[in-house]
Amino acid sequence: MKKLRIGILGIQGDIEENSDAINEALKELQIEGSVIFLKNFTSVTEIDGLIIPGGESTVIGMLLFLQKVQLDLLKNKIQSGLPVLGTCAGLILLANKTYDKTVGETKQHLLEILDVTVERNAFGRQKDSFESKLNIPFLGEETFNGVFIRGPAITEIGEGVQILTKLDNKIVAVRQNNIIATSFHPELANDNRFHKSFLNMCLEYNNSKKN
Ligand code: GLN
């Protein structure tokens, strides 16, 4: 059986929660694998998938962009197929462009690898956090519990971007080839279907590397 190595960007945010969800998803799928916490991307060549967790996108971005060379390595890897799951702040960091209602364009560091524009804090502030049942055909018929904590919304998408679900007419999950990104926190849903779909993509990627 293949052994998967799943990298979780471990700078700030929902790191442990994603690690728990991955470990549970590995068990449920009966796939052997382990989680590696990454502070930089020197070991990005050794992983079969990357999670960019929720947290504070400006802080994660600032610390990430101190490592220019490794960032280029990461972007190349993603462009050549490395599966990525970005949740909340992770979605923001992957986006091409971000803004918010009060300051307009938020001049923050972005990976600019997901062809979307994102509105930060589109559902209000921390105190306005909420949960909502979402229809996500990509995961199956049963609804998914979306946990929104200062969540962003996707306001524009490029041609290669597929909408996975909307809430109140706002796009809150997308897929662009090997990248899945959500406004909400699947790692807090007690439902590992996002992490399992991601692991299946990682398995495919791992197989394609070896063949
Ligand atoms: N609004 C936060 C940001 O811009 C994201 C919130 C989250 O990841 N829960 O970074």
Side-chain angles (χ1 to χ4, degrees):
M1 196 197 258
K2 306 264 183 198
K3 266 202 156 191
L4 290 184
R5 289 162 63 93
I6 307 300
I8 299 182
L9 185 61
I11 293 181
Q12 187 266 338
D14 259 10
I15 301 161
E16 283 302 325
E17 291 82 351
N18 271 291
S19 171
D20 292 347
I22 283 293
N23 283 320
E24 284 170 24
L26 283 166
K27 258 196 214 141
E28 286 168 31
L29 292 172
Q30 300 189 332
I31 299 175
E32 266 192 80
S34 56
V35 167
I36 305 169
F37 298 104
L38 306 176
K39 289 263 189 276
N40 58 50
F41 293 117
T42 43
S43 45
V44 75
T45 47
E46 294 161 29
I47 56 174
D48 301 301
L50 173 70
I51 294 184
I52 307 183
E56 177 48 53
S57 60
T58 50
V59 172
I60 302 175
M62 194 177 67
L63 294 170
L64 261 185
F65 275 74
L66 296 173
Q67 346 169 0
K68 178 85 179 88
V69 179
Q70 292 161 8
L71 267 190
D72 290 344
L73 184 69
L74 170 71
K75 283 172 88 164
N76 282 339
K77 274 310 237 190
I78 298 176
Q79 263 146 358
S80 61
L82 177 75
V84 179
L85 173 63
T87 72
C88 206
L91 155 66
I92 296 170
L93 285 160
L94 290 163
N96 272 350
K97 208 167 149 193
T98 60
Y99 66 94
D100 85 18
K101 273 188 213 99
T102 37
V103 300
E105 192 166 339
T106 55
K107 296 196 174 65
Q108 65 186 104
H109 294 294
L110 301 173
L111 291 169
E112 297 175 4
I113 204 155
L114 177 64
D115 193 6
V116 299
T117 300
V118 164
E119 180 186 335
R120 288 181 64 194
N121 302 314
F123 300 95
R125 311 196 67 80
Q126 191 88 13
K127 65 171 174 43
D128 306 312
S129 300
F130 64 97
E131 297 183 16
S132 181
K133 298 264 178 246
L134 301 168
N135 271 317
I136 311 184
F138 168 73
L139 297 177
E141 266 182 30
E142 206 183 307
T143 55
F144 190 89
N145 191 33
V147 178
F148 290 80
I149 306 167
R150 279 204 306 134
I154 297 159
T155 52
E156 270 174 57
I157 58 169
E159 259 179 31
V161 179
Q162 179 195 352
I163 299 172
L164 297 182
T165 192
K166 286 186 182 180
L167 173 65
D168 299 339
N169 240 0
K170 292 181 170 147
I171 304 170
V172 292
V174 291
R175 177 171 183 179
Q176 175 188 296
N177 303 316
N178 49 314
I179 304 175
I180 294 181
T182 65
S183 300
F184 47 93
H185 288 265
E187 73 283 3
L188 301 179
N190 278 326
D191 178 341
N192 297 315
R193 281 180 290 162
F194 261 104
H195 289 78
K196 284 197 273 189
S197 298
F198 168 68
L199 282 179
N200 280 324
M201 287 161 64
C202 299
L203 202 57
E204 225 171 87
Y205 175 71
N206 177 291
N207 282 332
S208 71
K209 274 197 305 192
K210 305 253 154 78
N211 297 333

